[in-house]
Amino acid sequence: MNQYREIIINGLWKQNPGVVQLLGLCPLLAISNNIVNAVGLGIATTLVMAFSNGAVSAIRDWVSHEIRIPVFILIIAALVTVIDMAMNAFIHPLYLVLGIFVPLIVTNCIVLARTEAFAAKNPVLPAMLDGFMMGLGVTLVLTLLGALRELVGKGTLLSGIDLAFGASAKAWVIHVIPDYNGFLIAILPPGAFFGLGLLIALRNWWVQRAERQPATIPNMTAATSMS
């Protein structure tokens, strides 16, 4: 049970691919200009990572060390093709917006890195959980970054939700700041760098603050006992 708990914490916080490992940043920066795009690509990446980790773990004892990387890439490419075709069939408008970034999941280094570093050395269930939690960690960072950029850039949340749920979903768009003229740079690529830098800084501040707390508590205890 401790192993699964550690996998979950690593994926979401300690080894988060978006704000700690800084892997696969190209799609993260390019497609996170609103929440809908960010969540769409995040879910696609999560599914690919979970099933590719599971598949690699299942065949790890039958693949020789010399050809393992090409085999892993073939598995990832096959799964990305399935996800690509499913999005094209069921959420075609969003699929058109995400464009080349769905097929490019094959080249996302975090996907191959987890198959090589974890799935190739562990049983199926922990491997799938590792892929799922790492993908979920990426999705959370994408969602936060998308929300921040959309809010600052347009003053709205869930803009473009109709791409996934149809024209009736346009009413779900939240106008947080009415009559807002927008801040263009937030939804352009430079805004992604600023937003990601802010998220990384906030996480580092939180970690350093948590590390200082254990040193403060004994000092307070000693001061209390002396008094």
Side-chain angles (χ1 to χ4, degrees):
M1 186 59 70
N2 287 336
Q3 181 192 12
Y4 294 112
R5 183 173 179 271
E6 185 178 352
I7 290 172
I8 293 171
I9 294 174
N10 285 341
L12 296 179
W13 185 252
K14 286 186 177 179
Q15 298 179 13
N16 186 290
V19 292
V20 178
Q21 300 185 60
L22 303 182
L23 295 174
L25 291 184
C26 177
L28 189 146
L29 296 173
I31 211 68
S32 61
N33 56 354
N34 64 47
I35 293 179
V36 175
N37 293 352
V39 172
L41 188 65
I43 291 174
T45 305
T46 300
L47 292 175
V48 170
M49 291 189 70
F51 287 107
S52 62
N53 268 21
V56 167
S57 175
I59 65 166
R60 69 187 191 283
D61 294 332
W62 290 278
V63 177
S64 66
H65 185 74
E66 292 76 12
I67 63 168
R68 71 190 189 289
I69 297 299
V71 172
F72 295 170
I73 293 174
L74 280 175
I75 292 172
I76 295 168
L79 289 167
V80 170
T81 302
V82 171
I83 296 294
D84 184 77
M85 295 177 71
M87 293 183 72
N88 189 15
F90 296 108
I91 46 174
H92 187 68
L94 181 60
Y95 171 79
L96 293 178
V97 171
L98 296 180
I100 190 65
F101 291 102
V102 177
L104 278 180
I105 294 174
V106 178
T107 63
N108 192 323
C109 50
I110 186 59
V111 182
L112 183 60
R114 294 318 296 180
T115 58
E116 168 70 2
F118 194 93
K121 303 169 185 172
N122 289 278
V124 173
L125 190 56
M128 288 191 72
L129 181 62
D130 176 79
F132 180 79
M133 296 315 300
M134 286 289 168
L136 189 60
V138 172
T139 304
L140 289 175
V141 174
L142 274 168
T143 305
L144 287 174
L145 188 57
L148 179 65
R149 294 178 66 189
E150 184 182 345
L151 184 61
V152 176
K154 299 179 181 176
T156 63
L157 291 174
L158 299 178
S159 173
I161 190 71
D162 55 301
L163 297 175
F165 295 100
S168 60
K170 285 184 178 180
W172 301 354
V173 178
I174 303 170
H175 296 275
V176 180
I177 309 174
D179 301 325
Y180 182 58
N181 293 323
F183 185 57
L184 182 59
I185 197 169
I187 55 177
L188 292 179
F193 286 96
F194 294 138
L196 183 62
L198 178 62
L199 293 179
I200 294 172
L202 285 173
R203 184 199 176 277
N204 290 342
W205 169 79
W206 184 272
V207 170
Q208 291 175 5
R209 177 175 174 270
E211 289 175 350
R212 284 196 299 266
Q213 283 182 344
T216 305
I217 293 173
N219 292 336
M220 294 177 62
T221 305
T224 304
S225 60
M226 289 177 65
S227 63

